[in-house]
Amino acid sequence: MSTRLYDDLTQRLPKVLEPRYEQLYFENGTLVPTDTDLIPGAREVAYESFTEFGDADFIEDAAANFPVVNISVEEDRYPVFMVGAGFPMSLQDERAYQNASRLSTTTMLDRFQRRMQAARNAIAQRINRLIAAGRQALRFAGTMGNESVPIESTTFNPYTADFNGLVDFNVSLIEGMTDNLVTLEPTTFLVNSDYIKRLMSVMNVNGTRSVYSYIKELYPSLDIRKIKETNDDFLTRNGVGHTAGHDRFMLYPNESTVLHRHIESSIAQLAPEDYIRVDSESLRKIYPMFSCVTPTIFDYPQDCKYISIPKR
């Protein structure tokens, strides 16, 4: 059978199999409030920070020593980083792309757009890892590894504890966040799949309620979310300083007044034509794409907490 006849007998389905990607919760603003207010070309973001000092006290009539309260003003500055990736187009690809309309085909156009989308996907995945874990060499602090956030280390083993032990442990973590009566109530609890499975599988003595359902009943607005970025393996692989053999969970208010990051309004932009690199030796062009981002900025790190737990 000739190749042409074989093709004529082949039914082509109207679909294209695309790669699947995990949810990029750190990059897409789900886990870190994200503002699209970054000005193109900015190298840093900065804002003023006030500190109050002094106190009021009892005074006498015509007192000479009057208690004074004053303020000091500092400036908090955070760098802007650029994350990029390029995609290639060969000479023949470029020629075919320019003549796609004459040839009545969108194949080359689709391939150009798909290469661009592949670069966007690579940038988004890299940003997600950076926002989660950071990069120590660049002093890019990650959400899961900020030195200003308090750490609670425990020898408690949730994988051997019973119903009451697990409930008491989680309630103690949550309630301990607001002991100073200033810290905002936590809204998000980042854990891993082993931990959330444990919460769901351990039942009370009557077998009518799991630890997970009881905690959700006590704290209905608390988002208990499983992510791989809390795992010891991920933290180690990405250079996040933590206790070896321990997972790191995070409890925090997901509020922009507590933590935030900043990006430009245009995400994963194609660089201007003047910056397209021509590789004359291989007869191809490299189209650069980029995104500009800040690290996660913790304005009130004491409102957040890392919990170091022995991994399963």
Side-chain angles (χ1 to χ4, degrees):
M1 182 182 294
S2 69
T3 302
R4 180 63 183 173
L5 180 57
Y6 182 82
D7 286 343
D8 289 341
L9 296 176
T10 300
Q11 178 184 352
R12 298 199 174 274
L13 301 177
K15 65 178 291 184
V16 176
L17 188 62
E18 293 278 1
R20 294 194 302 175
Y21 298 99
E22 62 191 32
Q23 289 293 320
L24 305 179
Y25 292 119
F26 287 94
E27 185 270 343
N28 65 22
T30 301
L31 298 181
V32 180
T34 302
D35 294 322
T36 57
D37 59 354
L38 200 59
I39 298 174
R43 299 294 182 90
E44 288 185 318
V45 295
Y47 51 90
E48 292 182 336
S49 174
F50 287 87
T51 302
E52 301 172 353
F53 58 90
D55 199 358
D57 204 349
F58 291 104
I59 60 173
E60 296 180 358
D61 186 29
N65 296 322
F66 206 86
V68 174
V69 176
N70 206 342
I71 62 170
S72 64
V73 183
E74 298 179 351
E75 190 172 61
D76 294 334
R77 306 182 72 89
Y78 300 91
V80 175
F81 293 86
M82 182 182 292
V83 180
F87 63 93
M89 286 285 285
S90 71
L91 172 62
Q92 288 293 72
D93 285 343
E94 191 88 15
R95 295 176 69 201
Y97 171 62
Q98 292 171 353
N99 289 281
S101 58
R102 184 176 65 81
L103 297 173
S104 300
T105 177
T106 60
T107 302
M108 291 311 304
L109 178 62
D110 289 344
R111 288 184 180 180
F112 182 87
Q113 297 296 335
R114 277 300 289 116
R115 288 172 180 170
M116 185 184 295
Q117 185 58 49
R120 284 198 178 99
N121 292 339
I123 291 170
Q125 291 176 80
R126 172 63 69 180
I127 290 175
N128 192 74
R129 291 196 298 274
L130 284 172
I131 297 302
R135 178 74 68 81
Q136 287 186 345
L138 299 177
R139 295 184 179 179
F140 189 111
T143 308
M144 299 302 299
N146 193 294
E147 294 180 353
S148 300
V149 175
I151 302 175
E152 181 170 328
S153 298
T154 179
T155 57
F156 177 79
N157 189 340
Y159 306 110
T160 58
D162 60 9
F163 180 89
N164 289 332
L166 275 171
V167 169
D168 290 345
F169 176 69
N170 284 275
V171 169
S172 177
L173 288 176
I174 297 166
E175 292 298 324
M177 295 283 288
T178 56
D179 283 349
N180 59 15
L181 304 180
V182 175
T183 301
L184 294 178
E185 292 279 351
T187 63
T188 305
F189 192 14
L190 304 182
V191 300
N192 60 17
S193 57
D194 286 338
Y195 191 79
I196 206 165
K197 286 176 186 175
R198 183 66 180 171
L199 297 184
M200 291 179 171
S201 63
V202 176
M203 309 295 289
N204 61 6
V205 292
N206 298 322
T208 58
R209 176 183 291 174
S210 67
V211 174
Y212 180 85
S213 63
Y214 187 61
I215 293 172
K216 291 294 290 182
E217 184 178 315
L218 292 174
Y219 306 100
S221 62
L222 183 65
D223 178 18
I224 305 176
R225 188 179 291 267
K226 62 177 180 180
I227 58 170
K228 74 177 189 320
E229 288 82 1
T230 59
N231 288 330
D232 171 60
D233 293 343
F234 174 88
L235 299 170
T236 301
R237 189 169 61 252
N238 288 276
V240 179
H242 70 294
T243 304
H246 285 61
D247 297 323
R248 172 175 286 182
F249 300 161
M250 184 175 177
L251 193 59
Y252 67 105
N254 194 349
E255 304 284 350
S256 60
T257 55
V258 175
L259 74 167
H260 52 95
R261 55 183 287 263
H262 300 262
I263 62 175
E264 294 183 14
S265 57
S266 298
I267 302 173
Q269 307 169 59
L270 183 64
E273 187 174 351
D274 290 345
Y275 294 91
I276 296 173
R277 182 168 65 85
V278 179
D279 187 351
S280 58
E281 293 184 0
S282 59
L283 292 178
R284 69 174 187 172
K285 294 179 179 178
I286 303 297
Y287 289 81
M289 302 189 70
F290 66 95
S291 283
C292 294
V293 300
T294 68
T296 298
I297 299 169
F298 286 83
D299 286 335
Y300 297 100
Q302 68 273 15
D303 285 14
C304 310
K305 180 190 291 184
Y306 298 136
I307 302 99
S308 180
I309 293 183
K311 72 176 183 180
R312 187 169 188 178

